[in-house]
Every structure is written in C-alpha cells, then in structure tokens.
Coordinates of all heavy atoms in Angstrom, one line a residue:
W1 N 91.2 98.9 92.8 CA 91.3 98.7 91.3 C 90.0 99.0 90.6 O 89.9 99.0 89.4 CB 91.7 97.3 91.1 CG 93.2 97.1 91.4 CD1 93.7 96.5 92.5 CD2 94.3 97.6 90.7 NE1 95.0 96.6 92.6 CE2 95.4 97.3 91.5 CE3 94.4 98.4 89.6 CZ2 96.7 97.6 91.1 CZ3 95.7 98.7 89.1 CH2 96.8 98.4 89.9
E2 N 88.9 99.3 91.4 CA 87.7 99.7 90.7 C 87.7 101.1 90.3 O 86.8 101.6 89.5 CB 86.5 99.5 91.7 CG 86.4 100.4 92.9 CD 87.4 100.2 94.0 OE1 88.0 99.1 94.0 OE2 87.5 101.1 94.9
R3 N 88.7 101.9 90.7 CA 88.9 103.3 90.3 C 89.5 103.4 88.9 O 90.2 102.5 88.5 CB 89.8 104.0 91.3 CG 89.4 103.9 92.8 CD 88.3 104.7 93.2 NE 88.6 106.1 93.1 CZ 88.2 107.1 93.9 NH1 87.5 106.7 95.0 NH2 88.5 108.3 93.8
P4 N 89.3 104.5 88.3 CA 90.0 104.7 87.0 C 91.5 104.7 87.1 O 92.1 104.9 88.2 CB 89.6 106.1 86.6 CG 88.4 106.5 87.4 CD 88.5 105.7 88.7
D5 N 92.2 104.3 86.1 CA 93.7 104.1 86.1 C 94.4 105.3 86.7 O 95.3 105.2 87.5 CB 94.2 103.9 84.7 CG 93.9 102.6 84.1 OD1 93.4 101.7 84.9 OD2 94.2 102.4 82.9
E6 N 94.0 106.5 86.4 CA 94.6 107.7 86.9 C 94.4 108.0 88.4 O 95.0 108.9 88.9 CB 94.2 109.0 86.0 CG 92.8 109.4 86.1 CD 91.9 108.6 85.1 OE1 92.3 107.7 84.4 OE2 90.7 109.0 85.1
E7 N 93.5 107.2 89.0 CA 93.2 107.4 90.4 C 93.7 106.3 91.3 O 93.4 106.2 92.5 CB 91.7 107.6 90.6 CG 91.2 108.8 90.0 CD 89.7 109.0 90.3 OE1 89.1 108.3 91.1 OE2 89.1 109.9 89.7
R8 N 94.6 105.4 90.8 CA 95.1 104.3 91.6 C 96.6 104.2 91.4 O 97.2 104.8 90.4 CB 94.4 103.0 91.3 CG 94.5 102.6 89.8 CD 93.7 101.3 89.7 NE 94.0 100.7 88.4 CZ 93.1 100.3 87.5 NH1 91.8 100.4 87.8 NH2 93.5 99.8 86.4
K9 N 97.3 103.5 92.3 CA 98.7 103.4 92.3 C 99.2 102.9 90.9 O 98.5 102.0 90.3 CB 99.3 102.6 93.4 CG 98.9 101.2 93.5 CD 99.4 100.5 94.7 CE 99.0 99.1 94.8 NZ 99.4 98.4 95.9
P10 N 100.3 103.4 90.4 CA 101.3 104.2 91.1 C 101.0 105.7 91.0 O 101.9 106.6 91.3 CB 102.6 103.9 90.4 CG 102.1 103.6 89.0 CD 100.8 102.9 89.2
S11 N 99.8 106.1 90.5 CA 99.5 107.6 90.5 C 99.5 108.1 91.9 O 99.1 107.5 92.9 CB 98.1 107.7 89.9 OG 97.6 109.0 90.1
P12 N 100.0 109.4 92.0 CA 100.0 110.0 93.4 C 98.6 110.4 93.8 O 98.4 110.9 95.0 CB 100.9 111.2 93.2 CG 100.8 111.5 91.7 CD 100.6 110.2 91.0
F13 N 97.6 110.3 93.0 CA 96.2 110.7 93.3 C 95.7 110.3 94.6 O 95.2 111.2 95.4 CB 95.2 110.3 92.2 CG 93.8 110.7 92.4 CD1 93.4 111.9 91.9 CD2 92.9 109.8 93.0 CE1 92.1 112.3 92.2 CE2 91.6 110.2 93.2 CZ 91.2 111.4 92.8
P14 N 95.8 109.0 95.0 CA 95.2 108.7 96.3 C 95.9 109.4 97.5 O 95.2 109.9 98.4 CB 95.5 107.2 96.4 CG 95.6 106.7 95.0 CD 96.2 107.9 94.3
I15 N 97.2 109.5 97.5 CA 97.9 110.2 98.6 C 97.5 111.7 98.6 O 97.2 112.3 99.6 CB 99.4 110.0 98.5 CG1 99.7 108.5 98.6 CG2 100.1 110.8 99.5 CD1 101.2 108.2 98.4
L16 N 97.5 112.3 97.4 CA 97.2 113.7 97.3 C 95.8 114.0 97.8 O 95.6 115.0 98.5 CB 97.4 114.2 95.9 CG 98.8 114.2 95.4 CD1 98.9 114.6 93.9 CD2 99.8 115.0 96.2
K17 N 94.8 113.2 97.5 CA 93.5 113.3 97.9 C 93.3 113.2 99.5 O 92.6 113.9 100.1 CB 92.5 112.4 97.2 CG 92.2 112.8 95.8 CD 91.8 114.2 95.8 CE 90.6 114.4 94.9 NZ 90.3 115.9 94.8
I18 N 94.0 112.2 100.0 CA 94.0 112.0 101.4 C 94.7 113.1 102.2 O 94.2 113.6 103.2 CB 94.7 110.6 101.8 CG1 93.7 109.5 101.3 CG2 95.0 110.5 103.3 CD1 94.3 108.1 101.3
M19 N 95.8 113.6 101.6 CA 96.5 114.8 102.2 C 95.5 116.0 102.3 O 95.5 116.7 103.3 CB 97.7 115.1 101.4 CG 98.9 114.1 101.6 SD 100.3 114.4 100.5 CE 101.0 115.8 101.3
E20 N 94.8 116.2 101.2 CA 93.9 117.3 101.1 C 92.7 117.2 102.0 O 92.4 118.1 102.8 CB 93.4 117.4 99.6 CG 92.4 118.5 99.4 CD 91.9 118.5 98.0 OE1 92.7 118.1 97.1 OE2 90.8 118.9 97.8
K21 N 92.1 116.0 102.0 CA 90.9 115.8 102.8 C 91.2 115.9 104.3 O 90.4 116.4 105.1 CB 90.3 114.4 102.5 CG 89.0 114.1 103.3 CD 88.4 112.8 102.8 CE 87.1 112.5 103.6 NZ 86.5 111.3 103.2
Y22 N 92.3 115.3 104.8 CA 92.6 115.3 106.2 C 93.7 116.3 106.6 O 94.1 116.3 107.8 CB 93.1 113.9 106.6 CG 92.0 112.8 106.3 CD1 92.0 112.0 105.2 CD2 91.0 112.7 107.3 CE1 91.0 111.1 105.0 CE2 90.0 111.7 107.1 CZ 90.0 110.9 105.9 OH 89.0 110.0 105.7
C23 N 94.0 117.2 105.7 CA 95.0 118.3 106.0 C 96.3 117.7 106.6 O 96.8 118.2 107.6 CB 94.4 119.3 107.0 SG 92.9 120.1 106.3
L24 N 96.8 116.8 105.9 CA 98.1 116.1 106.3 C 99.3 116.6 105.5 O 99.1 116.9 104.3 CB 98.0 114.6 106.1 CG 96.9 113.9 107.0 CD1 96.8 112.5 106.5 CD2 97.3 114.0 108.4
K25 N 100.4 116.7 106.1 CA 101.7 117.0 105.4 C 102.3 115.7 105.1 O 102.1 114.6 105.7 CB 102.6 117.8 106.4 CG 101.9 119.1 106.8 CD 102.8 119.8 107.8 CE 102.1 121.1 108.3 NZ 102.8 121.6 109.5
S26 N 103.2 115.8 104.1 CA 103.9 114.5 103.7 C 104.6 113.8 104.8 O 104.6 112.6 104.8 CB 104.9 114.8 102.5 OG 105.8 115.8 102.9
E27 N 105.2 114.5 105.7 CA 105.9 113.9 106.8 C 105.0 113.2 107.9 O 105.4 112.5 108.8 CB 106.8 114.9 107.6 CG 106.2 116.1 108.2 CD 106.0 117.3 107.2 OE1 106.3 117.1 106.0 OE2 105.7 118.4 107.8
E28 N 103.7 113.4 107.7 CA 102.7 112.8 108.6 C 102.1 111.5 108.0 O 101.2 110.9 108.6 CB 101.6 113.7 108.9 CG 102.0 115.0 109.6 CD 100.9 116.0 109.8 OE1 100.3 116.4 108.8 OE2 100.7 116.4 110.9
I29 N 102.6 111.1 106.9 CA 102.1 109.9 106.2 C 103.1 108.8 106.0 O 104.3 109.1 105.8 CB 101.6 110.4 104.8 CG1 100.4 111.4 104.9 CG2 101.1 109.2 103.9 CD1 100.0 112.0 103.6
L30 N 102.6 107.6 106.2 CA 103.4 106.4 105.9 C 102.6 105.5 105.0 O 101.5 105.1 105.4 CB 103.8 105.7 107.2 CG 104.5 104.3 107.1 CD1 105.9 104.5 106.5 CD2 104.5 103.6 108.4
I31 N 103.2 105.1 103.9 CA 102.5 104.2 103.0 C 103.1 102.8 103.3 O 104.3 102.6 103.3 CB 102.8 104.5 101.5 CG1 102.2 105.9 101.2 CG2 102.2 103.5 100.6 CD1 100.7 106.1 101.4
V32 N 102.3 101.8 103.5 CA 102.7 100.4 103.7 C 102.1 99.6 102.5 O 100.9 99.6 102.3 CB 102.1 99.9 105.0 CG1 102.6 98.4 105.2 CG2 102.6 100.7 106.2
D33 N 103.0 99.0 101.8 CA 102.6 98.3 100.6 C 103.6 97.1 100.3 O 104.7 97.1 100.9 CB 102.6 99.2 99.4 CG 101.7 98.7 98.2 OD1 101.6 97.5 98.1 OD2 101.1 99.5 97.6
D34 N 103.2 96.2 99.5 CA 104.1 95.0 99.2 C 104.7 95.0 97.8 O 105.4 94.1 97.5 CB 103.3 93.7 99.5 CG 102.1 93.5 98.6 OD1 101.6 94.5 98.0 OD2 101.7 92.4 98.4

C-alpha cells in the first residue's frame, strides 16, 4: 500500500512487472489472496 494507486491491486501492474522481471508466463503464476 506504500505504492501509488496505479501500482497496487487490483491493478495488473504488480503481476505484469513480476512476469517481465522473471520472464514468467501467465500459466506459471499463482496468486494467493484473501
């Protein structure tokens, strides 16, 4: 929550950045949230 609004959920920004940084495909990711 210390990030700007556009960089935190429900924005796709965190997932897209992680996918880019670690060269991951969508099928290689699992989001766990409450």
Side-chain angles (χ1 to χ4, degrees):
W1 290 104
E2 73 283 350
R3 308 283 295 218
D5 288 351
E6 65 274 4
E7 293 184 9
R8 59 182 192 230
K9 64 182 177 181
S11 167
F13 180 86
I15 296 174
L16 296 173
K17 285 310 226 183
I18 289 169
M19 289 173 74
E20 179 183 329
K21 181 176 181 177
Y22 296 100
C23 299
L24 296 170
K25 298 175 186 170
S26 59
E27 60 270 14
E28 297 174 304
I29 297 174
L30 174 68
I31 300 299
V32 180
D33 203 327
D34 63 339

